[in-house]
Amino acid sequence: MKRFTDLLAGQVKFLLSQKEAVITFYILLAFVLSNFCRNVVDFQGSDVHAMVYPMRLLVLSMDCLNYKASTLLMFIQIYPLLVVLPAGLSLARDRNLGPDLLLTSRIGSMDYRIIKVLGTGIATFIVFSIPFLLEMLMNMAAFPMKAFGNLSSLSVYDPAYAAGVRNYLFSGLYLRSPLLYSLLGILFFAFLSGVLAAFTASISSLIRIRLLLILFLPVYALLTISSYFGGRGGQAFAWYHYFFLFDDVHKSTFFLSACLVLILVFTVAATLAGGRKDCIR
Amino acid sequence: MYTVRNRLLVIVLLAATTGCLVSLKFINPYGGAAGLSEVLMQLSGSRGSFELGLNPMELLEFCMRLFPVFLCCAYTGIQMYRYYCRASIYIFSRISRRTGWFLKEFLILLGSAALFEAVFLASALLTAAIRFQVSVRTEGLVLCLWHLVIYTLWITAMSCLVTVLAVRLGSAAAYTVTAGLQFLFIAAMSPLNRISDDTVRTGRILAWNPMARLVAGWQSSRLPALNGELHSPYPGITLSGSLLYVGIICLACAAAAGFVVRFHDLIMTNSEESGGM
């Protein structure tokens, strides 16, 4: 077991040092910094009572759609491609270039693929959590945490606002502690990103893919097609309603859970199926 | 061979499926009846008889409507780059007329994009006609032709750009950059929401944005055949101007791709196999 965790830690470290992971990290950091600087310029000198709750100003806050949304809009559009970039292509690249030969002969095909897919998920989780956690800390330091306003035109005592809050994912947690809700929301977003990256890696475990561009398409198609459907009673199925914070659209937790389970089952099955034979090619 | 020509069935299937999906999701005329022109405008952003707004949610939906275009660009871009990789080894070693080879491939790409757009439109309009009462008039047919031509040129341009960038960066990074550029142009429209009351100024800024040129509801024209059907809120964007603008972009991308094919020796640097993104 210790050998497995050592190999996994080594793999995560390796993936995080790759230029794709570093570029993605800097792209996310650019989103965060541009959003933070704009917020500081817009809200400097605001009275605490007129100020928006700082966590609602994060890049991941859907409340921003009621304000200057170009950063969030750009992020929502590019996310399906960006999520694959840090580590999702690594297994396919290994299989194209040949390092998989060395690792497979050392630790066996099954262990190699499990470590690679798991490592992809963990590395993506790290890349997609740190910039947003950093933004959270910066907002906590720069803006008054006692502020309770929001970016919509609704008052916090408005019944429509209360109904919107009830539609948040983890709304119970939000009502107890908005800060904890934000922290959990960011980690949940990073977790979903990790799952999608691992899903991509598992596809390349199953099929050998020479042109890496093809690996962008499954997640891109999956996420985009989700926005083409709507459930009964006005339930929204579009992915961004589930991934982001402070989203007040009516959601289906059953839909989210079912999709998550299906993706995880596919990821595990594809990884195991890809590594069932110890043949090197 | 990996040429696009041998993958036409995939293009047809892709276009038919996505056309049906887009039609089911986004075409929804008020009262269950609409003219062909209104249906076409809904394919590129309009909601009912209202043209695409500049607020973030509507722009996001516009991006979702362009999903088939992004998918087609990825597919045709891949095929062209793939064929170019093969040709670098098997064809250019025997045939020195690289420009001739590229022109032939470019025309095939243009034809494939036109086929994709034609099947996409047919599938979307047929689905709409089954669900609603769609009346066909001359202005609708003119707009349909415009839609077919402008999206064909756009898909061709973006596929060429994927090929050009893939030579340098590898296919994955090339597609990310190409799609990212298009997303950036869409996101750049969002700040204009604050000045949208000043339609002249907004129109003047939007006229520079190539993605704005793809929105049928924002076009205006003096063509008598259109019979005053287009009610653009932004005066600077015209049907013919948009065709010219996108046509120039397409030519520029084709020239860049032609230049790469003519002068770049892929056999020396294969970024797909040497760890490029």
Side-chain angles (χ1 to χ4, degrees), chain B residues 202-214:
Chain B
T202 309
R204 207 177 295 148
I205 300 170
L206 280 178
W208 288 102
N209 191 325
M211 297 308 286
R213 298 291 188 162
L214 303 178

Side-chain angles (χ1 to χ4, degrees), chain A residues 144-268:
Chain A
M145 290 302 287
K146 284 181 182 169
F148 56 84
N150 62 76
L151 290 165
S152 70
S153 52
L154 298 172
S155 145
V156 285
Y157 301 109
D158 197 310
Y161 174 78
V165 167
R166 275 197 294 275
N167 285 334
Y168 290 176
L169 214 58
F170 316 121
S171 62
L173 185 65
Y174 173 77
L175 293 171
R176 277 172 198 271
S177 164
L179 189 66
L180 209 61
Y181 163 83
S182 309
L183 178 68
L184 187 81
I186 291 171
L187 294 177
F188 184 64
F189 168 79
F191 167 73
L192 292 176
S193 305
V195 169
L196 290 176
F199 167 71
T200 306
S202 72
I203 293 172
S204 55
S205 164
L206 205 58
I207 319 159
R208 188 166 178 183
I209 291 166
R210 286 213 176 267
L211 277 172
L212 302 180
L213 161 56
I214 296 167
L215 279 173
F216 280 102
L217 301 182
V219 168
Y220 181 49
L222 207 67
L223 293 182
T224 309
I225 286 172
S226 75
S227 60
Y228 276 48
F229 299 99
R232 283 180 194 167
Q235 282 175 335
F237 288 158
W239 66 273
Y240 43 82
H241 293 306
Y242 296 87
F243 280 51
F244 293 93
L245 305 169
F246 306 108
D247 186 277
D248 57 5
V249 172
H250 186 34
K251 291 178 265 292
S252 162
T253 39
F254 171 75
F255 171 73
L256 176 68
S257 317
C259 286
L260 208 54
V261 168
L262 277 177
I263 291 174
L264 284 172
V265 166
F266 176 86
T267 305
V268 172

Side-chain angles (χ1 to χ4, degrees), chain A residues 83-161:
Chain A
V83 73
V84 178
L85 206 56
L89 310 175
S90 67
L91 182 56
R93 187 171 293 124
D94 272 10
R95 293 186 73 186
N96 285 345
L97 293 172
D100 63 321
L101 283 176
L102 300 170
L103 290 161
T104 304
S105 54
R106 268 181 61 200
I107 60 174
S109 181
M110 184 66 84
D111 278 1
Y112 165 68
R113 278 160 205 255
I114 291 173
I115 285 168
K116 202 76 191 177
V117 171
L118 214 53
T120 297
I122 295 170
T124 308
F125 175 85
I126 292 170
V127 171
F128 275 80
S129 59
I130 289 177
F132 301 111
L133 290 173
L134 199 67
E135 188 190 20
M136 194 178 160
L137 287 176
M138 289 194 303
N139 276 16
M140 283 168 73
F143 303 114
M145 290 302 287
K146 284 181 182 169
F148 56 84
N150 62 76
L151 290 165
S152 70
S153 52
L154 298 172
S155 145
V156 285
Y157 301 109
D158 197 310
Y161 174 78

Side-chain angles (χ1 to χ4, degrees), chain B residues 1-12 75 79 82:
Chain B
M1 270 300 183
Y2 285 111
T3 174
V4 183
R5 192 173 33 185
N6 299 343
R7 297 285 193 277
L8 291 184
L9 184 65
V10 181
I11 287 177
V12 169
Y75 188 73
Q79 296 304 337
R82 228 176 198 186

Side-chain angles (χ1 to χ4, degrees), chain B residues 138-212:
Chain B
T138 323
E139 55 267 26
L141 292 174
V142 173
L143 205 63
C144 190
L145 189 68
W146 174 85
H147 196 287
L148 176 71
V149 175
I150 202 156
Y151 276 89
T152 301
L153 290 174
W154 186 254
I155 291 170
T156 311
M158 292 303 108
S159 305
C160 284
L161 197 61
V162 169
T163 310
V164 171
L165 295 174
V167 171
R168 199 79 199 151
L169 307 169
S171 64
Y175 184 67
T176 311
V177 171
T178 311
L181 213 61
Q182 295 175 76
F183 296 150
L184 194 68
F185 280 125
I186 295 176
M189 294 187 218
S190 167
L192 297 178
N193 197 23
R194 269 168 280 149
I195 57 157
S196 57
D197 289 340
D198 185 352
T199 51
V200 177
R201 198 171 147 211
T202 309
R204 207 177 295 148
I205 300 170
L206 280 178
W208 288 102
N209 191 325
M211 297 308 286

